[in-house]
Amino acid sequence: MAPTTLTADQANARLHELTVIDVRTPGEYASGHLPGAHNIPLDHLDTALPALKTAADRGDLLVVCASGARSATACRRLADHGITAATLTGGITAWTQLGQDTHRPVGTRTPLAMDRQVRLAAGSLVLSGLIAGQRWSAARWLSAGVAGGLVFSALTNTCGMAKILAKLPHNKPRATDLDDTLAALAG
């Protein structure tokens, strides 16, 4: 079953009554998020289930990511646990394209957005495979493997490289940040 969706205009009109959950990495969240959004990266969603259940009992949840793909996944996982949530159609990208306000945490360094990290990593690996392939022909398989992964990613609307990059230290939430977020949602 497809999750309920809200457009950026609908979400903006109801922002004061929604609990917004941003499932992007902390680095992406730091680059700009909806006002009042709580950051719970998708790979920490299971840890947050009790707090999200409590927040959902108090009011409607809106789950946000960059494009809407990860938030739709999060909504389906929440629904599997009896938690109803809507996803933002087009994600933060659609939100900013309409000129809606975004907030950034004070004093945080803004790493590259995940899609840029994926493009940088994929491009670097392909280029490395081609350059190394000038000397060792077997190195060209690195480029072929990345190309195959990109095709698979496009066909399935998944991204294995993003899942790997999300595990890097600059993309992980500090334990205190996640604990504070969960306490705010539960309280």
Side-chain angles (χ1 to χ4, degrees):
M1 182 170 154
T4 304
T5 60
L6 292 177
T7 65
D9 286 332
Q10 291 168 326
N12 189 45
R14 296 187 54 207
L15 199 56
H16 64 283
E17 65 188 54
L18 296 169
T19 299
V20 181
I21 307 299
D22 192 319
V23 295
R24 297 176 300 157
T25 65
E28 292 173 294
Y29 176 81
S31 70
H33 56 270
L34 273 68
H38 301 277
N39 185 221
I40 301 175
L42 186 58
D43 58 345
H44 293 286
L45 199 62
D46 292 337
T47 304
L49 286 172
L52 291 169
K53 175 77 170 130
T54 302
D57 288 344
R58 286 194 309 263
D60 293 337
L61 296 181
L62 175 65
V63 183
V64 179
C65 69
S67 67
R70 283 178 282 178
S71 58
T73 298
C75 286
R76 285 189 295 275
R77 283 176 50 193
L78 291 172
D80 290 344
H81 293 278
I83 302 169
T84 303
T87 184
L88 180 64
T89 303
I92 192 81
T93 303
W95 181 267
T96 56
Q97 284 175 345
L98 291 175
Q100 304 291 8
D101 188 31
T102 58
H103 291 182
R104 289 172 180 76
V106 177
T108 56
R109 196 181 103 240
T110 306
L112 295 175
M114 185 55 69
D115 65 318
R116 291 185 66 193
Q117 291 181 49
V118 168
R119 292 192 309 259
L120 177 63
S124 298
L125 289 170
V126 168
L127 188 58
S128 296
L130 291 174
I131 290 171
Q134 296 295 318
R135 186 155 174 94
W136 304 284
S137 62
R140 292 186 188 134
W141 284 105
L142 174 63
S143 299
V146 172
L150 291 171
V151 170
F152 179 79
S153 175
L155 293 174
T156 62
N157 198 27
T158 61
C159 188
M161 188 176 290
K163 289 179 183 176
I164 293 168
L165 291 172
K167 296 185 183 308
L168 293 175
H170 67 277
N171 285 325
K172 295 291 250 181
R174 294 184 312 228
T176 55
D177 293 343
L178 186 58
D179 291 343
D180 291 346
T181 298
L182 298 179
L185 288 171

